[in-house]
Amino acid sequence: MRGSLKSLFAGAVALIAQPALAQPAPAPVPVNPAPVTTAASAVPIPVPAAPALTKADVDAWLDGYLPYALARGAVAGAVVVVVKDGQVLTQRGYGYSDVEKRTPVDPEKTMFRPGSVSKLFTWTAVMQLVQEGKLDLDADVNTYIDFKIPPRDGKPVTLRNIMTHTAGFEESIRGLISSKESGAPLGETLKRWVPHRIFAPGTTPAYSNYATALAGYIVERTSGMSFDDYIDRNIFARLGMEHSSFRQPLPEKLKPLMSKGYATAAGDPKPYEVIDAAPAGSLASTGADMGKFMIAHLANGGPLLSPETTNMMHTTTLSILPPLNRMALGFYEQRINGQTAIGHGGDTQWFHSDLMLFPKENVGIYISMNSSGKEGVTGAIRSTLVESFADRYFPMERIIKAGVDEKTTAEHARMLAGTYISSRRPESSFMKALDLAGGMKIAVDDKGNLVLPFKNTGGEDSKWVETAPFVWEEVGGHGRLAAKLKDGKVDWVSIDAISPIMMLQRPVWYASPGWLTPGVIAGLVILGLTALSWPIGAIARRRYGAQLPFAGKELKAFRLVRGFAAVVTLVLIGWVATLASMMSDFHLLGGAMDWAVYLLQIVGTIAFIGMVAVAAWNLLLVWTGRRGWFSKLWSILVLVAAVVILWAAFAFHLISFGVQF
């Protein structure tokens, strides 16, 4: 699925999973990068002659890049396919599909899981039915389904909203990926829980696997056949994609062709991943079959769609934050070197893929890897592959010139500085607490330059130049960043790599990780020390024969404060451990941790509220009694810590009851 959900816990919710924001790849410098001329350059640098896009040149280029990148990143195997002018230019397998058996990747026969690249097949199916007049992109989706999607701000969800990821749903995570035998029926999955609508439709990109699964269900109900049967008959059969399937488990004849999935190349193979929201990411396919799909879309739809429908699908874009990349109908846009490419990336827990079409050149490129590798390396490998491919074969001089004076640039940078959260996020459940990982922070250095929380491919801080008011471009790269203002203040920020599918937003002040995250950490330290003072003090008194100088209410308050402090500390540690476990192993998202969540919700509600009550009582007793200044100061700190933690527990739904998320 687009974006590893592990990133939801690792900070900057759902961002690390995006290719351009992954950890730096241990990859070579791109060959023939597009020259960049900055404002300081007196003479533009000429563009080097592009090599001919031939099989021999692409093979040599790929062989010089991928084996080293995969080995350094601990990725077991990969497949790459390049198509041009209606033909497969080259298809290459690298590494192993089964490390133990030393089975090499065969682009004709080895099946990979392209994750959310699967969505392009779902969107193609939707557009086929639109073409037949059976679906209307602008009709209320409730017209086509047997349950209710409530309106938001009086507006219904439409298929156009769904295909542009502006339906407004919060992130739905439960049961996303599991290792069970098969997926639940699609209708059952969708009716189990309808995610809350947190944005008005058509206003805010917020990537949604649930919404895509809903589109697949509409295909199912409208066509009168199962989603799997529809795709088999109307896409795979038409293209001769004999080694592809959305079915879970795989058909018996295809199972021997399936690559193993790995965390790293040296690790044990992982079970086949089952995705309940199947239309959003359950495809398994060979590189050769994916080449056929690319050729069809580049050929004005080929046997899948009419040229008119294909053109509408590829070029109907929604502009949310100009001039950044936009979302087309199912494809996301990537403008690079004068080319308007369209494509989609995808991730399961173990497989990581990208597909990009260059319609002007009638060229497409696809990569899929069967391992997560070290430090999120697959994101950098695939983004570097696509960008370097464009730099090599479609080079263009880029002149990055400051379009704003230094003083104004510094002021604009200061306006951007702060903490942001992703529009793609859980909002109504305890999973909102993932925002406490810190959100995404934009800072300003002492020279007034933006300091962004990601590196370039070489692992260095990226340098950005403001080329127009509130638009920055990356020097030496292809990234752009832009901000949207509201009432004279920065409201949204995004960058090209994610702008089609999500925005970075200023959180509401009362739920901002900018102050609540350090506040909770400080509170945890204070309450932890308070809890520890009880056994440590008891040991010290026993050793020196001292007596506890309290009795009556003061003794009871002494014990209650420390007891509740211990419970609150353990509950917070329990939440961290539970969320970390669930985000590190997606199979735990299907219900295996429900017992822990229920326990933490029950005990936590009592502990968080009780801590404030006993801390307030303790403060009253301390300040009306004959206690020293340190006791009085500490009683204040304990109450403040308890209030901040209670506030965070309410704001991030740790005080709640339920396991739908």
Side-chain angles (χ1 to χ4, degrees):
M1 323 291 271
R2 174 66 170 172
S4 163
L5 284 170
K6 196 178 298 183
S7 64
L8 289 171
F9 189 78
V13 177
L15 297 179
I16 295 175
Q18 308 308 321
L21 300 184
Q23 295 296 318
V29 175
V31 180
N32 291 341
V36 175
T37 304
T38 66
S41 302
V43 181
I45 303 171
V47 180
L53 182 52
T54 64
K55 174 176 171 54
D57 193 82
V58 174
D59 285 350
W61 177 72
L62 289 172
D63 291 349
Y65 168 58
L66 271 174
Y68 176 77
L70 298 178
R72 287 284 290 154
V75 176
V79 65
V80 179
V81 181
V82 178
V83 301
K84 183 178 186 293
D85 296 332
Q87 302 291 327
V88 173
L89 184 68
T90 191
Q91 51 188 30
R92 311 283 284 174
Y94 296 93
Y96 300 104
S97 63
D98 186 320
V99 174
E100 183 179 4
K101 295 180 180 178
R102 312 292 283 180
T103 306
V105 171
D106 182 341
E108 284 283 351
K109 296 181 179 179
T110 305
M111 298 175 70
F112 282 68
R113 304 295 299 280
S116 280
V117 179
S118 307
K119 289 180 172 67
L120 296 179
F121 291 78
T122 301
W123 306 137
T124 299
V126 168
M127 295 305 292
Q128 287 177 337
L129 295 172
V130 169
Q131 181 175 294
E132 294 172 16
K134 296 179 180 179
L135 291 177
D136 181 345
L137 289 177
D138 297 306
D140 184 342
V141 294
N142 289 309
T143 305
Y144 306 114
I145 59 178
D146 57 349
F147 64 103
K148 182 76 171 176
I149 303 294
R152 166 80 190 212
D153 295 348
K155 297 179 181 180
V157 171
T158 68
L159 278 167
R160 189 182 301 275
N161 298 148
I162 288 174
M163 292 184 73
T164 54
H165 287 295
T166 57
F169 290 111
E170 67 174 312
E171 179 78 339
S172 175
I173 304 174
R174 186 177 177 88
L176 184 64
I177 297 177
S178 70
S179 57
K180 56 190 178 183
E181 288 296 318
S182 61
L186 187 52
E188 179 182 313
T189 296
L190 292 166
K191 296 171 190 176
R192 180 181 63 210
W193 180 63
V194 178
H196 288 214
R197 306 276 302 290
I198 58 178
F199 303 109
T203 64
T204 309
Y207 191 84
S208 176
N209 290 308
Y210 180 91
T212 308
L214 183 63
Y217 189 55
I218 290 172
V219 168
E220 193 170 272
R221 288 180 55 79
T222 303
S223 67
M225 62 182 78
S226 73
F227 179 79
D228 291 336
D229 287 345
Y230 183 92
I231 298 295
D232 285 349
R233 182 179 303 178
N234 294 285
I235 295 182
F236 296 156
R238 293 187 191 183
L239 297 180
M241 296 177 65
E242 298 179 356
H243 301 128
S244 300
S245 181
F246 271 81
R247 298 180 187 275
Q248 301 174 115
L250 278 175
E252 289 299 322
K253 67 177 182 178
L254 296 180
K255 286 182 178 179
L257 305 180
M258 187 65 223
S259 170
K260 305 292 185 184
Y262 300 90
T264 64
D268 294 328
K270 304 297 183 179
Y272 191 78
E273 297 166 287
V274 172
I275 297 162
D276 276 354
S282 72
L283 176 63
S285 185
T286 62
D289 276 5
M290 295 300 292
K292 295 174 182 177
F293 183 74
M294 289 193 290
I295 288 170
H297 268 279
L298 287 168
N300 294 318
L304 300 180
L305 299 166
S306 71
E308 294 77 17
T309 304
T310 303
N311 182 63
M312 177 170 63
M313 186 177 183
H314 291 179
T315 63
T316 303
T317 51
L318 178 65
S319 295
I320 298 291
L321 185 53
L324 300 186
N325 290 333
R326 303 163 295 178
M327 193 76 200
L329 292 178
F331 285 87
Y332 61 78
E333 177 184 70
Q334 181 170 337
R335 282 167 282 181
I336 179 172
N337 292 356
Q339 302 281 334
T340 298
I342 56 173
H344 213 292
D347 304 83
T348 68
Q349 192 163 12
W350 314 123
F351 289 82
H352 306 276
S353 312
D354 210 351
L355 180 152
M356 197 63 63
L357 305 179
F358 297 86
K360 178 183 173 183
E361 306 291 342
N362 204 10
V363 168
I365 184 169
Y366 169 76
I367 179 173
S368 188
M369 293 166 277
N370 63 5
S371 315
S372 295
K374 298 187 298 185
E375 299 177 342
V377 69
T378 52
I381 289 176
R382 69 195 191 194
S383 63
T384 299
L385 177 78
V386 171
E387 291 181 358
S388 298
F389 180 85
D391 285 342
R392 182 172 180 82
Y393 298 109
F394 317 130
M396 186 184 88
E397 180 186 51
R398 296 180 65 230
I399 300 177
I400 298 180
K401 184 180 294 185
V404 181
D405 64 86
E406 290 186 9
K407 181 179 179 181
T408 303
T409 291
E411 176 60 26
H412 288 175
R414 283 192 292 272
M415 291 174 68
L416 252 70
T419 300
Y420 296 81
I421 58 175
S422 173
S423 60
R424 180 192 180 187
R425 62 180 185 266
E427 184 68 20
S428 65
S429 72
F430 65 89
M431 281 290 181
K432 183 175 173 58
L434 294 170
D435 280 346
L436 281 170
M440 175 180 148
K441 293 181 176 62
I442 294 178
V444 181
D445 65 18
D446 55 5
K447 297 180 181 179
N449 299 314
L450 286 179
V451 178
L452 302 174
F454 41 83
K455 307 287 186 179
N456 61 24
T457 304
E460 300 175 324
D461 290 332
S462 299
K463 182 180 179 181
W464 298 76
V465 174
E466 190 173 12
T467 55
F470 295 100
V471 177
W472 285 260
E473 293 192 44
E474 182 186 10
V475 176
H478 296 281
R480 290 179 302 178
L481 178 149
K484 183 176 181 179
L485 274 63
K486 182 178 181 181
D487 299 329
K489 297 180 180 179
V490 173
D491 187 36
W492 290 357
V493 173
S494 197
I495 64 172
D496 267 335
I498 63 169
S499 57
I501 58 174
M502 69 181 79
M503 294 286 149
L504 304 174
Q505 299 180 300
R506 298 273 197 187
V508 292
W509 70 269
Y510 57 81
S512 173
W515 72 274
L516 275 174
T517 298
V520 169
I521 292 172
L524 183 59
V525 170
I526 291 168
L527 296 188
L529 291 173
T530 301
L532 286 173
S533 71
W534 197 356
I536 292 173
I539 292 170
R541 287 191 297 274
R542 177 174 295 182
R543 179 171 181 177
Y544 295 106
Q547 295 293 319
L548 191 63
F550 305 121
K553 290 187 293 184
E554 287 189 336
L555 178 59
K556 183 179 290 186
F558 175 90
R559 290 171 174 169
L560 282 173
V561 164
R562 282 150 184 80
F564 270 92
V567 176
V568 168
T569 300
L570 292 174
V571 167
L572 289 176
I573 293 173
W575 273 119
V576 171
T578 298
L579 292 173
S581 297
M582 294 170 79
M583 291 297 101
S584 63
D585 185 351
F586 293 173
H587 301 150
L588 298 178
L589 294 171
M593 299 297 290
D594 285 357
W595 65 271
V597 172
Y598 278 127
L599 179 63
L600 290 168
Q601 287 173 334
I602 295 169
V603 176
T605 298
I606 297 170
F608 295 142
I609 296 173
M611 183 73 243
V612 173
V614 298
W617 184 42
N618 177 69
L619 182 142
L620 178 64
L621 294 176
V622 168
W623 280 79
T624 57
R626 297 180 179 180
R627 305 284 285 276
W629 69 266
F630 181 80
S631 294
K632 291 180 178 179
L633 173 62
W634 196 257
S635 69
I636 294 173
L637 292 176
V638 168
L639 179 58
V640 171
V643 169
V644 169
I645 289 172
L646 178 63
W647 184 285
F650 274 116
F652 293 95
H653 305 301
L654 298 183
I655 294 181
S656 61
F657 193 76
V659 290
Q660 296 294 353
F661 52 88

